[in-house]
Amino acid sequence: MIRITVTSVFVDDQAKALAFYTDKLGFTKKTDVPAGEYRWLTVVSPADPDGVELLLEPDGHPAAGPFKEALVADGIPFTQFAVADVYAEVERLKGLGVEFTQDATDLGPVVTAVLDDTCGNLIQLATLK
């Protein structure tokens, strides 16, 4: 059976992304291997350290920048992370200085919020009811 082991988010600065995703969002660094001028740099949830890795992938490809800019301009999150309580997580993250483009919003079966990851992406947080 096929399973997801790594997924990516394009970032404009790997060091800045690592700091944001670990210090603010609470992920843990899993892999950090030099790869030319960049790094194979992944983070994981401390709740599932052997689970899916998030690759903090450099956005150096010419298509990545316009792609990210178009998503942000349209308010579309690049990816989504599950949290136990969106309302509580939004308050925790705001306390750490994280900026939100959408506060916690009850959409019926799900509560969502959207944050700016400081690396060129909007990220959605979600809690299924």
Side-chain angles (χ1 to χ4, degrees):
M1 177 182 237
I2 296 174
R3 62 187 182 97
I4 300 168
T5 58
V6 177
T7 190
S8 302
V9 61
F10 290 115
V11 299
D12 56 15
D13 180 310
Q14 286 185 300
K16 180 174 73 170
L18 180 61
F20 182 84
Y21 280 81
T22 58
D23 298 344
K24 306 287 185 181
L25 298 186
F27 289 101
T28 304
K29 181 170 66 171
K30 173 85 175 201
T31 307
D32 189 351
V33 177
E37 67 179 282
Y38 300 111
R39 298 147 60 186
W40 180 266
L41 181 60
T42 68
V43 295
V44 294
S45 168
D48 191 9
D50 294 319
V52 176
E53 296 178 48
L54 179 65
L55 175 63
L56 304 177
E57 186 163 354
D59 65 1
H61 188 281
F67 170 73
K68 287 171 47 178
E69 290 168 12
L71 290 178
V72 170
D74 289 343
I76 299 171
F78 185 81
T79 194
Q80 175 178 289
F81 302 137
V83 295
D85 180 342
V86 169
Y87 295 104
E89 193 64 16
V90 166
E91 291 309 309
R92 182 187 79 79
L93 292 171
K94 282 184 176 182
L96 294 172
V98 175
E99 294 185 18
F100 283 80
T101 61
Q102 176 202 308
D103 278 321
T105 303
D106 189 326
L107 300 173
V110 65
V111 177
T112 65
V114 179
L115 62 89
D116 179 340
D117 78 349
T118 74
C119 301
N121 303 290
L122 299 178
I123 304 294
Q124 183 166 277
L125 304 178
T127 300
L128 290 174
K129 294 184 191 174

